[in-house]
């Protein structure tokens, strides 16, 4: 188990020592459950009680940005009655902690947040997801409705997901041009890049279309608990077009034949809570392709991650038919 943990760059021994920051959890066993941007661990005490520890990748989000993420999560729970993960304070009463847990001794202390354990299972693309996507549309609408009237606390700081921060060579998730297998398909991807920029500039960033969103409502960040769909992991929340939340929800399954049904279900749920114009709906495909480009860049810049390495085997060529269909109607 320790070998698996240390493949993330985190020292199992240092992590065990860092649990002293939460004295009630100091004797917990820990198991790696996810490693993409951050590393997430399931903690289990001898009496069976569980919690979830998130160790942030060094250099990705600042302390102010993480505090801002937690502030919005708590506001959504308080103001909208939405399920959001509940952070557990450490011995010093702060929910954001840090400790030197990396196997590389030159990496400074990394930020960590401990969350209460929530029941549920991660859905699969092979499940019947229509009910979950209708509920997901409702959750997205509640969140978007909330931010349009919410005043963030002083010092609030989150990423900006724009055409430039996603598509430029120095994008937040890397450069799509450097993704594996790109050379053979560069021309069609470059045409998509140019088309997306033009359409997004024309679409604009009015308050009705652009604001603070979850930005990563994909299957891996959902828990299905009976009939309830729970939304977790707000680590990538930031400012973007509201409809990008649907695009993120179908991450890595954009070419699934189920997508039209999932889109209809999401839109149905969304409109039960919040208005959405036909003009906005018409740019859903633009958001899907923008997300696809973000994921393409992410795979190239995170190739050391086993998940990214597996996706890299065919992600770029699989995207070509999607791009060609989009350009035929939107180019």
């Amino acid at each position: 188990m320790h070998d698996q943990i240390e493949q993330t760059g985190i020292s199992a021994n240092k992590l065990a020592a860092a649990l002293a920051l939460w004295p009630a959890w100091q004797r917990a066993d820990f198991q790696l459950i996810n490693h993409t941007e951050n590393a997430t661990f399931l903690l289990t005490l001898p009496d069976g009680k569980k919690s979830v520890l998130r160790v942030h990748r060094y250099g990705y989000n600042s302390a102010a940005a993480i505090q801002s993420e937690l502030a919005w999560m708590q506001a959504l729970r308080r103001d909208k009655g939405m399920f959001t993960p509940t952070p557990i304070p450490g011995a010093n009463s702060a929910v954001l902690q840090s400790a030197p847990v990396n196997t590389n001794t030159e990496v400074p202390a990394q930020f960590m947040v401990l969350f209460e354990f929530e029941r549920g299972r991660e859905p699969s693309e092979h499940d019947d997801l229509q009910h979950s996507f209708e509920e997901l549309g409702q959750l997205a609408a509640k969140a978007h409705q909330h931010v349009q009237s919410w005043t963030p606390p002083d010092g609030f700081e989150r990423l900006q997901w724009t055409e430039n921060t996603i598509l430029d060579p120095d994008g937040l998730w890397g450069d799509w041009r450097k993704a594996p297998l790109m050379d053979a398909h560069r021309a069609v991807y470059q045409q998509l890049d140019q088309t997306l920029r033009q359409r997004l500039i024309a679409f604009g960033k009015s308050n009705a279309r652009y604001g603070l969103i979850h930005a990563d409502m994909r299957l891996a960040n959902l828990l299905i608990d009976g009939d309830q769909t729970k939304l977790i992991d707000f680590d990538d929340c930031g400012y973007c077009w509201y409809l990008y939340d649907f695009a993120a929800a179908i991450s890595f399954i954009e070419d699934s034949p189920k997508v039209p049904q999932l889109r209809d279900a999401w839109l149905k749920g969304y409109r039960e809570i919040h208005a959405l114009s036909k003009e906005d709906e018409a740019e859903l495909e633009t958001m899907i392709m923008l997300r696809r480009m973000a994921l393409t860049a992410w795979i190239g810049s995170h190739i050391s991650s086993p998940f990214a390495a597996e996706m890299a085997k065919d992600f770029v060529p699989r995207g070509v038919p999607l791009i060609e269909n989009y350009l035929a109607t939107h180019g």
Side-chain angles (χ1 to χ4, degrees):
M1 182 181 71
H2 282 196
D3 289 344
Q4 182 188 30
I5 291 172
E6 300 202 355
Q7 286 176 3
T8 70
I10 293 171
S11 163
N13 290 334
K14 291 181 179 179
L15 184 61
L19 294 183
L21 294 166
W22 297 272
W25 294 91
Q26 194 167 3
R27 296 175 57 220
D29 291 329
F30 49 89
Q31 175 187 356
L32 179 70
I33 54 176
N34 189 33
H35 178 223
T36 49
E37 201 64 57
N38 306 311
T40 308
F41 298 88
L42 176 65
L43 272 56
T44 307
L45 289 171
D47 65 2
K49 187 177 181 181
K50 301 179 186 298
S51 63
V52 174
L53 177 67
R54 183 176 69 188
V55 180
H56 288 258
R57 179 167 69 87
Y58 177 72
Y60 183 54
N61 274 319
S62 67
I66 299 169
Q67 295 280 21
S68 298
E69 169 205 355
L70 299 175
W72 188 41
M73 286 165 49
Q74 292 167 329
L76 286 171
R77 179 183 284 269
R78 180 187 66 242
D79 300 340
K80 284 291 185 180
M82 287 177 60
F83 166 84
T84 58
T86 302
I88 300 173
N92 62 357
S93 300
V95 293
L96 182 60
Q97 302 289 335
S98 65
V101 295
N102 207 280
T103 54
N104 182 351
T105 56
E106 296 182 1
V107 175
Q110 290 172 245
F111 295 121
M112 298 181 291
V113 182
L114 186 65
F115 294 98
E116 291 184 5
F117 177 78
E118 294 292 340
R119 292 176 52 189
R121 64 173 182 84
E122 179 184 324
S124 162
E125 64 179 286
H126 305 295
D127 294 344
D128 181 358
L129 294 171
Q130 282 188 259
H131 173 76
S132 292
F133 265 70
E134 184 174 339
E135 193 169 5
L136 200 56
Q138 294 172 346
L139 293 175
K142 287 180 180 179
H144 302 166
Q145 197 175 60
H146 179 262
V147 299
Q148 289 178 348
S149 60
W150 181 56
T151 301
D154 291 343
F156 193 87
E157 172 191 315
R158 290 306 303 174
L159 298 171
Q160 296 272 351
W161 299 103
T162 69
E163 68 277 17
N164 295 324
T165 63
I166 290 176
L167 299 173
D168 283 359
D170 60 349
L172 292 171
W173 275 358
D175 185 359
W176 63 260
R177 299 156 191 83
K178 297 180 180 179
L181 308 180
M182 180 56 72
D183 287 348
H185 308 287
R186 187 176 300 273
V188 71
Y189 272 82
Q190 185 62 50
Q191 188 178 353
L192 174 62
D193 179 298
Q194 295 170 354
T195 300
L196 289 174
R197 292 177 191 269
Q198 292 166 1
R199 292 192 71 92
L200 290 168
I201 290 171
F203 191 53
K205 298 184 178 73
S206 70
N207 290 338
R209 291 175 170 171
Y210 186 96
L212 184 61
I213 68 170
H214 183 279
D216 200 20
M217 291 186 176
R218 59 194 177 97
L219 299 184
N221 289 331
L222 305 179
L223 288 176
I224 306 299
D225 184 12
D227 291 333
Q228 183 182 24
T229 300
K230 300 177 179 180
L231 182 61
I232 59 174
D233 196 353
F234 281 63
D235 183 56
D236 287 319
C237 72
Y239 293 91
C240 189
W241 292 275
Y242 292 128
L243 291 179
Y244 190 82
D245 266 340
F246 171 75
I250 58 168
S251 293
F252 303 110
I253 60 169
E254 300 92 341
D255 52 357
S256 167
K258 294 182 178 181
V259 166
Q261 292 178 325
L262 300 181
R263 168 184 168 144
D264 290 346
W266 191 92
L267 288 170
K268 178 178 183 292
Y270 193 97
R271 286 191 166 115
E272 289 173 0
I273 304 296
H274 196 49
L276 180 66
S277 71
K278 289 293 184 182
E279 291 78 13
D280 284 13
E281 183 183 341
E283 292 301 334
L284 260 182
E285 295 300 321
T286 297
M287 300 303 160
I288 292 171
M289 298 314 300
L290 182 66
R291 175 66 172 187
R292 184 83 185 190
M293 290 292 267
L295 295 176
T296 302
W298 184 87
I299 286 172
S301 63
H302 290 68
I303 200 66
S304 60
S305 160
F307 177 75
E310 181 63 27
M311 295 303 299
K313 293 177 181 178
D314 65 352
F315 195 74
V316 166
R318 267 181 52 203
V320 171
L322 292 169
I323 296 172
E324 292 174 340
N325 288 339
Y326 175 79
L327 293 176
T329 54
H330 295 77

